[in-house]
Amino acid sequence: MDVSIVPVRSAELGNTSYLLVSDRAKMAVVIDPVRDIGQYLDIVASAELELTWSLETHVHNDFVSGSREFASTVGSKIGASSDAGLRYHYEHLSDGDEIGLGSWRLRVLATPGHTPEHVAYLLLNAMGQPEALFSGGALMVGTAARTDLFGPALSWRFAHDLERSLKEKILQLPDEVVVYPTHGGGSFCAVGAGDATMTTIGAERVTNPLATARSSRQFVTRSLTAGTYPTYYARMRNLNQIGAPLLGLSLVHPPELDLASLDHWLAQGALLLDIRTAQDFRSSHIPGSIATGADGNISGWVGWLVGPEKPLVLVADAGSRGAGEIQEAVSQLVRIGYDRIVGYLGGGLDAWQAAGRKIVGYDTLSAATLAERLDADELLPVVDVREAAEWHAGHIPGSVGLPLHDILTQETGLVKGIQVAVHCGHDYRATLGASLLEQVGYSQLSVVIDGWEGWSALEEVPR
C-alpha cells in the first residue's frame, strides 16, 4: 500500500484523527486533527514529509480543530465543505472534488446528517479503486453520529439526510473498503458505539442497525436514541467557525503556584481541579476541589460543569507522576478551548498539608455492605449520579436519581447533615459526583466503589 494510515487517538474525546502518509511522494495529509498539533508534526518531521492538507469532515462540536494551527505553523492548506462557514481562509470542497496524495487521491463525498455540511473522504489507489473511507461521523462501527446537535426541530430532517448519505452513497461502496471514523466509543457524538475504531463497508451493511433499518421511520427511531451531551458543545461549533486562538507548536506549561498565589486565585473565583486518581482523591483532598482525575474524562466533565472563562488551578501528585498528570490535563482542556489554566499547586497536596491546612476524604463501601446497612435500617440515603436513562433502566430502591452534570444546579431534597452514599456505574464518576455534592454543602459522603454493577450482582436483588 503506497499510502500508510496513522491513527492519532484522543481517548478522552472518544475520537481518532488520521495522518495519511505517502513515503514515495514525501507528503502527508491529516484528517480531523485536534488542536495540540505537536503529536502529528513529530511524525511528519521524523519522516521528512511535507504536510500539504489539513482536512475537516465537519465543523466539530466536541473539540477545537487543529487545522488553523497547521496553516499557521507549516503552511498547510485547510480543506472543508463549502458550506462549513469558516471565517478564515480555507479551500472550499464540494462533492466529487479530489486531492492528490502522490499517485493516490482523496475524493470528497458530501454526506450530510451528523451536521449539514458533513463530508467524508474516499481514498483511491493509483488504479482509481477505493481503499478506505474516512467517514467522520457519517458511518461508525455499528452506528453513526447523532443528528440532534442543532436542536429537536431539525433532528428528524438531519436524520433523513443521514439516511440518504448512508444508503445512497456510503453503502454503495465495495464491501472491502475499510472505514475509519472520527467519532467512536466514548464520544458524546456517538449513538451506541463500541470500542472498535475501524470497520468495513461489508460488515456495516450486514450488522449496523441503521443500515438494516426496514423503513425510514425505523431509521430515524434508531438514530435518535442518544442521551445528553456536554454543555460546551453549544459553544464549540461557533468557536471552530471563528477560529480559536492559536497555540503554536507546543502547549504552554502552566506556572507553579505557591500557597499565597493559590489563595489569590481562589479569591478571584478559581476552581481547583484535582487531577490525581479517583482513589487518591477519596483518600484525601483539598476541601472544595473537584475530582477530575487523569484516570477519567477531564475535559468532558469540566466542559459540562463550568464555562471557559473560569480560572482553573490544577492539583496533581508531586514529582514526575504529577508532571504527567498536568500534561494530560492541559492537553485535554485546550482541546475543548479551556485555555485559562492559571497554574498548578507546587508540591501538590503535600505542600497544602505541610502548611497545616485542612484535608478531607470519603469513606468507601461495597454494594454488598450498602445492602447490609440498609437492611439494618441505617439512615443512609443513596444518590445515583448516572444518567436518567440508566436510572430508569434499573436502580437501587429508594435512591435519588441525580445525573452528575445536574448536581450543581438541582436539589437532592436530602438533609445535608447526615451520611450520604454516592454511586454510579464507575467509581471515577461516583467520586466526581461526591466532590460535586461536597461543593453544594454535603460533608459526610461515602462512595460505593462497585456501584450499580455490584448491586445488581447481589443474589437477593430481584431481576
Side-chain angles (χ1 to χ4, degrees):
M1 188 168 176
D2 288 346
V3 172
S4 57
I5 299 167
V6 182
V8 180
R9 181 78 173 152
S10 299
E12 82 285 357
L13 294 168
N15 286 344
T16 306
S17 51
Y18 300 93
L19 196 63
L20 280 60
V21 175
S22 173
D23 289 320
R24 183 175 299 177
K26 304 302 288 184
M27 63 187 295
V29 168
V30 66
I31 297 176
D32 286 343
V34 292
R35 193 181 181 195
D36 47 322
I37 62 171
Q39 56 192 324
Y40 310 96
L41 293 180
D42 287 345
I43 299 170
V44 170
S46 65
E48 299 181 339
L49 305 170
E50 178 188 6
L51 188 77
T52 55
W53 285 88
S54 181
L55 301 174
E56 301 289 341
T57 58
H58 59 291
V59 182
H60 304 290
N61 286 82
D62 53 339
F63 66 92
V64 177
S65 165
S67 288
R68 281 185 70 239
E69 297 287 346
F70 283 117
S72 173
T73 55
V74 297
S76 308
K77 295 179 181 178
I78 300 172
S81 165
S82 55
D83 297 323
L86 306 184
R87 298 170 207 171
Y88 48 85
H89 179 72
Y90 70 104
E91 304 295 326
H92 291 212
L93 302 178
S94 300
D95 190 52
D97 288 349
E98 292 187 351
I99 293 167
L101 187 58
S103 61
W104 291 41
R105 290 166 290 145
L106 281 167
R107 179 177 293 165
V108 179
L109 302 181
T111 51
H114 175 44
T115 65
E117 79 289 339
H118 196 288
V119 297
Y121 297 96
L122 181 64
L123 181 63
L124 306 172
N125 63 24
M127 304 296 294
Q129 299 165 328
E131 295 275 352
L133 180 71
F134 299 91
S135 59
L139 177 64
M140 294 158 51
V141 183
T143 184
R146 63 193 308 152
T147 62
D148 61 351
L149 294 177
F150 290 72
L154 293 169
S155 60
W156 274 66
R157 177 183 298 178
F158 289 172
H160 286 142
D161 288 342
L162 177 63
E163 181 183 21
R164 286 188 287 270
S165 294
L166 276 176
K167 295 185 176 179
E168 298 174 10
K169 192 163 292 184
I170 292 176
L171 294 177
Q172 297 301 315
L173 296 171
D175 283 353
E176 63 271 15
V177 171
V178 182
V179 179
Y180 295 92
T182 300
H183 299 310
S187 169
F188 288 104
C189 286
V191 182
D195 294 331
T197 56
M198 56 186 290
T199 184
T200 65
I201 294 293
E204 295 308 303
R205 195 191 321 276
V206 173
T207 63
N208 192 306
L210 298 179
T212 59
R214 295 186 302 275
S215 67
S216 181
R217 183 169 295 177
Q218 187 178 65
F219 183 97
V220 172
T221 300
R222 290 178 177 181
S223 66
L224 293 178
T225 57
T228 54
Y229 52 85
T231 53
Y232 81 86
Y233 274 35
R235 302 185 295 269
M236 194 56 51
R237 181 178 175 87
N238 186 56
L239 179 61
N240 275 319
Q241 289 179 318
I242 295 173
L246 295 171
L247 297 176
L249 289 172
S250 59
L251 299 179
V252 175
H253 193 74
E256 180 177 329
L257 303 178
D258 59 21
L259 290 175
S261 299
L262 174 61
D263 290 339
H264 164 78
W265 280 112
L266 292 177
Q268 301 299 311
L271 182 65
L272 278 177
L273 300 182
D274 193 316
I275 56 174
R276 300 173 302 141
T277 66
Q279 181 178 352
D280 287 342
F281 186 92
R282 292 192 300 269
S283 176
S284 58
H285 60 268
I286 297 172
S289 55
I290 293 182
T292 54
D295 53 339
N297 185 343
I298 299 172
S299 59
W301 292 115
V302 172
W304 211 325
L305 298 168
V306 299
E309 72 288 342
K310 188 82 167 176
L312 304 174
V313 176
L314 307 179
V315 180
D317 286 298
S320 59
R321 179 177 174 181
E325 292 169 346
I326 292 168
Q327 181 179 6
E328 176 64 23
V330 172
S331 297
Q332 288 196 29
L333 290 168
V334 299
R335 285 174 192 164
I336 66 165
Y338 280 62
D339 299 350
R340 204 170 179 209
I341 307 168
V342 298
Y344 68 95
L345 176 59
L349 194 63
D350 291 342
W352 180 272
Q353 287 183 272
R357 299 194 178 194
K358 180 183 178 181
I359 61 169
V360 294
Y362 304 145
D363 296 330
T364 59
L365 66 159
S366 67
T369 300
L370 173 65
E372 291 173 359
R373 292 170 65 174
L374 293 174
D375 286 341
D377 293 336
E378 184 173 337
L379 186 62
L380 184 60
V382 179
V383 176
D384 183 338
V385 298
R386 296 177 300 156
E387 291 296 303
E390 295 176 284
W391 191 87
H392 286 294
H395 58 270
I396 297 174
S399 61
V400 175
L402 182 62
L404 192 151
H405 47 80
D406 291 334
I407 291 174
L408 297 180
T409 57
Q410 294 187 17
E411 287 289 336
T412 65
L414 300 175
V415 177
K416 294 182 178 179
I418 61 173
Q419 192 78 18
V420 173
V422 185
H423 89 89
C424 192
H426 190 282
D427 75 322
Y428 169 84
R429 282 198 292 165
T431 304
L432 173 55
S435 73
L436 297 174
L437 287 167
E438 184 183 329
Q439 288 270 319
V440 295
Y442 292 87
S443 58
Q444 299 181 53
L445 296 159
S446 297
V447 173
V448 184
I449 54 174
D450 53 351
W452 173 247
E453 181 178 342
W455 180 274
S456 59
L458 296 177
E459 291 184 4
E460 61 269 27
V461 175
R463 291 179 176 83

